[in-house]
Amino acid sequence: MAKLIKNQQIIDDTWQVLALDAEADAAGVTVPAGQWLVPLAVWQAQPALAARGDVAPLLDGADDPAALADQLATLPLVAVNFPKFVDGRGYSIATLLRSRYGYTGELRAVGDVLRDQFNAYFRCGFDALSPAAGKYTDAQLEAALASLADFTEPYQASIAHRDPLFRRHHRSAA
Amino acid sequence: MYRYDAYDQKLVDERVAQFTNQTERYLAGELSEDEYRPLRLQNGVYIQKHAPMLRIAVPYGNLRADQVRKLAHIARTYDKGYGHFSTRQNMQFNWPRLETIPTILGELATVQMHAIQTSGNCIRNVTSDPFAGVAADERVDPRPWCEILRQWSTFHPEFAFLPRKFKIAVNGAADDRAVIRAHDIGLELVTNAAGELGFRVFVGGGLGRTPIIGQEISTFVAWPHLLTYCEAILRVYNRFGRRDNMYKARIKILVKALGAEAFRDQVEAEWAHLKDGPATLTQAEVDRIAACFVDPDYAALPATDAGYTAALAENKPFAAWAKRNVRAHKQPGFASVVLSLKKTGIAPGDITDGQLDTVADFADRFSFGEVRVTHEQNVVLADVRQSDLFALWQAARDAGLATPNIGLLTDIVCCPGGDFCNLANAKSIPIAESVQRRFDDLDYLHDIGELELNISGCMNACGHHHVGHIGILGVDKNNEEWYQITIGGRQGNDASLGKVIGPSFAAADVPDVIETLINTYIAHRHEDELFIDTVHRIGVEPFKQAVYGDKTPAQRKVANG
Ligand code: HEM
Ligand code: SF4
């Protein structure tokens, strides 16, 4: 079973991503029983999914997080897709969900999620990281937890650090 | 200069540990080539023709003597005894072994240096005026603001994987010496009618294959809001910049596609949420950083030193050097000195380990222990007593650092080109040398006057050819190296892009063409008129005529033109 890093612990991942190919009809596609992350288009086309409790929206880089603004208070899980780790749009989406739209539930990074970006994910407000199944051995994933803390006192304000360094700590004149 | 506190040091140390681990995992086969590449690039490591190339950050061009000595040590120990100062005020080493790079970074960290974000699709080294703090035309010292931006942009978690590289430049003087309008964000320090300090903001400038001059999107952003405003720009770019085509991914393409006004509206809409938030700068933080950039302890000196004046009168070579390489200083009795890295036969910007040590010694002896790097690839001692200039000149001459050509035709800006760079269409260093050899008469050079000649080995424009008064661009035609020539580009307040004069030339013809351009200028110039001003007054046509005669140019299609 795929693994998930949740709140700095490794646990089993019980959710799956529902892939939708380009021609598929977002309104018509069936979301089977089980826990599914579904593309925003499906989520929006099938409002009934919200009541199921085992389906959550998966945002892509081009999606506007504002689309979920009205629902965020009740959503237990939102996922953001990183098609490639070098596509950094998800960091802005996460930041907006947590700051502008006040989302407090689980925020999960899925896709090409690599340990060298764990610290940036964490600081942008992701509390759940889902590397691709098989990407890391258990031992590698265990070692990768250290990367969450690659930078312990970053300069900037971010989701993880409400204030920038210059407001968090007294910095004496050099 | 800025000095690290424990927080700065810890971040740099953590980066060394992180990159060491990444490189170990790469060498052990745990990280794929594709996974490692962006990581090493964000640490300034390219894989080039001969070996990895390591680009070390010189924040806004400022170095202390101990840091210069460390660069000398690295050149000697891990490279072939020399390094290269780039047009972005950084230092590049061309020959280190990948396995040694973590060790080099560890050594750099001991002198508060690093290679963080010197490449990759992130916010790069902030660049600025090499005469910051000493120039007579300065309104506000840009260095504290550069440092504030450096800290904000270093390991910014949201902006580590932008669509493309992102460069910020800051200018605080009447004359723009930081080419701010050729940057993704250009910031000009200004005061408004109420006397408050703030920034005029340009976005979307850049050279490369689509050269564009940046456009103003705000006439005034008050200083407390500098970071939130930049954050708004970066967020709009990060979300909406193109990622489907790397050649269209710079912010300039987004700004052009939306139009500057629509882009500004998006930035302002985003900023409305960020303004006055926690990232708003505090007076205390600005003061803390500005305290690192106060004037050194200048002695009270007469405005002109009698010994200096006498030496100028007696010694012609010294006077020729002083005329070009010594600049006026705001403080009476002081001057700024440009050490030329443009000696004929040496690749522009190259400096040996021994010269680096010498420069460090000069800094200690003559200039309060500090050095600056210019984007024209020379080195500045900003605070020299006039009474020391003669001794400095003698020592600099012995070290090969006193070529009296600053601002002249032979002070060529030049990228590494085909000798080192995988992306090159053509060599650039030998072209620089051939032009320097042709114009080896100092009196003639001085008569030609100020003229900026910039050379890039391909359209990526690392040598800033678009903004050279004369620009030379390496192009590839049927696997042969050719050179396209532009005239009329310039940096500064009236930054403009050069115009192509016609079909390109073989390497051997370049010096002749340059000579023809110069002769045309001399034939047309008004008294005291610079080359660039003559070009703008009479246009490109007379130059074209002189170079191509009746052979109507532009018949042949110019590769990459
Ligand atoms: C040898 C390895 C190098 C490689 C592979 C390289 C690659 C590139 C590329 C691909 C671009 C175009 C980016 C774009 O338009 O989006 C570029 C631009 C640039 N590079 Fe380099 N470069 C190298 C060395 C240098 C050096 C040595 C300098 C300084 C002398 C330099 C300074 C610049 C500058 C100033 C630009 C300006 C273009 C802009 O910002 O629009 N690069 N480089
Ligand atoms: S301009 Fe081209 S040849 Fe020169 S360094 Fe840049 S990428 Fe290489």
Side-chain angles (χ1 to χ4, degrees):
Chain A
M1 183 173 282
K3 298 290 183 194
L4 179 72
I5 295 177
K6 178 90 191 279
N7 294 327
Q8 336 221 351
Q9 308 279 344
I10 299 169
I11 58 171
D12 286 335
D13 186 2
T14 51
W15 290 76
Q16 289 168 276
V17 173
L18 185 87
L20 191 67
D21 48 48
E23 303 89 67
D25 169 21
V29 65
T30 315
V31 183
Q35 293 172 300
W36 291 97
L37 302 172
V38 301
L40 181 64
V42 174
W43 179 261
Q44 289 181 312
Q46 304 187 28
L49 291 175
R52 263 176 61 169
D54 59 357
V55 179
L58 171 62
L59 297 180
D60 235 321
D63 290 335
D64 187 352
L68 294 175
D70 294 342
Q71 296 171 289
L72 286 172
T74 56
L75 278 179
L77 170 60
V78 175
V80 177
N81 185 37
F82 286 81
K84 291 206 185 85
F85 78 93
V86 291
D87 181 342
R89 288 176 293 182
Y91 297 110
S92 287
I93 291 175
T95 301
L96 286 169
L97 284 169
R98 288 282 195 223
S99 58
R100 185 107 1 117
Y101 304 113
Y103 179 59
T104 55
E106 177 179 326
L107 184 57
R108 184 184 288 207
V110 305
D112 195 17
V113 172
L114 303 180
R115 83 169 265 187
D116 298 290
Q117 285 73 55
F118 280 7
N119 181 255
Y121 287 127
F122 164 69
R123 285 157 63 201
C124 287
F126 288 103
D127 55 359
L129 306 175
S130 169
K135 176 68 206 167
Y136 294 118
T137 65
D138 288 355
Q140 284 173 339
L141 202 57
E142 198 65 49
L145 287 178
S147 292
L148 285 164
D150 271 351
F151 301 110
T152 47
E153 283 286 5
Y155 289 122
Q156 308 77 9
S158 65
I159 300 305
H161 298 88
R162 201 193 78 94
D163 286 327
L165 182 58
F166 63 81
R167 287 181 194 267
R168 291 200 302 276
H169 294 286
H170 174 76
R171 300 187 71 184
S172 51
Chain B
M1 245 184 82
Y2 186 72
R3 280 183 184 273
Y4 284 9
D5 68 4
Y7 294 106
D8 300 296
Q9 188 66 48
K10 184 151 197 228
L11 279 162
V12 168
D13 292 343
E14 285 175 336
R15 169 56 138 208
V16 176
Q18 184 194 43
F19 190 70
T20 303
N21 172 278
Q22 289 167 343
T23 302
E24 281 165 8
R25 281 186 287 131
Y26 167 69
L27 293 172
E30 237 181 86
L31 268 177
S32 73
E33 191 63 50
D34 282 349
E35 288 167 356
Y36 183 60
R37 187 185 312 109
L39 305 179
R40 67 167 162 74
L41 285 176
Q42 300 221 343
N43 229 326
V45 183
Y46 285 80
I47 305 294
Q48 285 298 321
K49 287 210 157 150
H50 308 291
M53 178 200 89
L54 176 63
R55 185 182 290 157
I56 292 166
V58 180
Y60 35 97
N62 283 211
L63 285 168
R64 290 193 309 261
D66 63 315
Q67 296 175 321
V68 178
R69 284 195 186 92
K70 182 59 83 177
L71 294 175
H73 166 76
I74 289 168
R76 200 157 39 235
T77 314
Y78 304 97
D79 206 288
K80 295 194 173 181
Y82 68 98
H84 174 79
F85 281 119
S86 83
T87 47
R88 303 206 68 259
Q89 301 178 301
N90 289 323
M91 163 131 283
Q92 294 193 172
F93 288 112
N94 287 309
W95 309 88
R97 285 187 306 119
L98 184 62
E99 293 75 4
T100 64
I101 289 179
T103 315
I104 298 175
L105 297 177
E107 293 229 23
L108 289 171
T110 64
V111 292
Q112 311 189 341
M113 290 186 81
H114 57 75
I116 294 163
Q117 289 168 216
T118 52
S119 182
N121 296 333
C122 50
I123 305 173
R124 305 284 191 89
N125 186 32
V126 177
T127 52
S128 191
D129 180 0
F131 300 101
V134 299
D137 70 337
E138 183 166 284
R139 293 189 285 251
V140 186
D141 189 341
R143 294 171 297 172
W145 304 100
C146 291
E147 178 57 30
I148 284 167
L149 287 163
R150 181 192 77 80
Q151 299 195 13
W152 167 76
S153 60
T154 298
F155 307 134
H156 198 301
E158 190 180 339
F159 306 131
F161 293 98
L162 298 167
R164 199 73 182 87
K165 59 165 91 167
F166 202 92
K167 302 175 178 180
I168 303 178
V170 188
N171 178 52
D175 272 338
D176 171 19
R177 285 179 288 269
V179 219
I180 59 171
R181 296 190 70 181
H183 284 77
D184 298 279
I185 295 180
L187 297 168
E188 185 184 349
L189 278 150
V190 289
T191 35
N192 67 6
E196 296 161 328
L197 182 66
F199 297 87
R200 195 173 162 205
V201 182
F202 298 90
V203 293
L207 302 175
R209 67 177 66 211
T210 317
I212 297 182
I213 298 292
Q215 302 202 55
E216 184 180 88
I217 58 161
S218 178
T219 53
F220 189 79
V221 173
W223 67 265
H225 308 302
L226 173 65
L227 300 184
T228 53
Y229 197 83
C230 287
E231 187 177 333
I233 295 173
L234 265 297
R235 184 168 297 153
V236 170
Y237 172 54
N238 191 39
R239 291 190 61 200
F240 304 114
R242 285 183 62 174
R243 289 175 186 266
D244 59 325
N245 179 343
M246 103 170 198
Y247 301 122
K248 298 196 183 322
R250 294 283 293 270
I251 195 174
K252 59 191 170 188
I253 306 294
L254 178 66
V255 173
K256 208 171 128 195
L258 292 172
E261 279 189 21
F263 179 81
R264 187 201 47 218
D265 291 347
Q266 287 199 21
V267 169
E268 297 272 338
E270 186 60 41
W271 187 43
H273 297 280
L274 303 172
K275 191 167 180 264
D276 298 318
T280 306
L281 282 165
T282 60
Q283 187 69 54
E285 174 65 356
V286 175
D287 289 348
R288 179 184 79 87
I289 290 179
C292 299
F293 299 98
V294 294
D295 279 351
D297 203 1
Y298 293 123
L301 299 174
T304 45
D305 178 75
Y308 173 49
T309 316
L312 285 177
E314 282 160 21
N315 190 317
K316 198 165 168 257
F318 175 59
W321 176 77
K323 185 169 169 202
R324 293 311 322 173
N325 299 36
V326 174
R327 277 179 57 104
H329 195 287
K330 66 175 186 185
Q331 184 71 19
F334 281 80
S336 298
V337 168
V338 186
L339 298 171
S340 172
L341 300 183
K342 307 300 175 64
K343 194 178 153 93
T344 300
I346 309 286
D350 274 12
I351 186 164
T352 66
D353 59 332
Q355 287 176 320
L356 284 163
D357 277 333
T358 303
V359 168
D361 291 345
F362 289 168
D364 279 337
R365 232 175 108 193
F366 300 117
S367 195
F368 298 95
E370 290 186 14
V371 169
R372 288 104 180 272
V373 183
T374 75
H375 76 262
E376 289 94 349
Q377 306 173 287
N378 292 308
V379 169
V380 167
L381 298 170
D383 296 294
V384 182
R385 287 173 187 230
Q386 286 178 9
S387 55
D388 285 336
L389 287 170
F390 191 75
L392 171 57
W393 170 66
Q394 287 181 310
R397 220 174 29 159
D398 292 344
L401 295 168
T403 310
N405 62 349
I406 299 306
L408 301 180
L409 176 57
T410 54
D411 181 11
I412 296 172
V413 172
C414 182
C415 81
D419 293 299
F420 294 97
C421 177
N422 284 342
L423 304 178
N425 286 327
K427 293 194 179 65
S428 51
I429 295 168
I431 299 297
E433 180 172 347
S434 70
V435 174
Q436 286 170 330
R437 294 215 182 276
R438 176 66 59 94
F439 294 90
D440 63 350
D441 181 296
L442 197 59
D443 290 331
Y444 186 44
L445 269 182
H446 279 261
D447 177 50
I448 296 168
E450 286 177 18
L451 203 164
E452 296 176 10
L453 175 65
N454 296 1
I455 309 177
S456 304
C458 76
M459 62 290 188
N460 286 321
C462 303
H464 286 177
H465 65 276
H466 303 107
V467 292
H469 301 168
I470 298 177
I472 302 180
L473 164 65
V475 292
D476 172 276
K477 285 202 276 190
N478 308 319
N479 287 326
E480 282 173 38
E481 301 191 353
W482 290 78
Y483 297 90
Q484 186 188 81
I485 294 184
T486 51
I487 58 173
R490 68 170 135 200
Q491 55 170 325
N493 298 6
D494 307 315
S496 58
L497 304 171
K499 293 198 176 68
V500 179
I501 62 168
S504 46
F505 304 93
D509 295 331
V510 171
D512 286 342
V513 176
I514 303 300
E515 193 161 16
T516 307
L517 294 173
I518 300 298
N519 290 340
T520 309
Y521 151 66
I522 288 176
H524 286 86
R525 73 176 164 189
H526 291 165
E527 204 182 337
D528 289 336
E529 190 177 45
L530 300 181
F531 175 87
I532 182 68
D533 296 322
T534 304
V535 173
H536 280 269
R537 180 172 55 80
I538 67 176
V540 174
E541 215 38 57
F543 293 90
K544 255 186 191 169
Q545 268 301 320
V547 171
Y548 297 96
D550 293 332
K551 286 177 281 163
T552 35
Q555 296 299 346
R556 279 184 291 151
K557 179 97 186 79
V558 179
N560 296 314

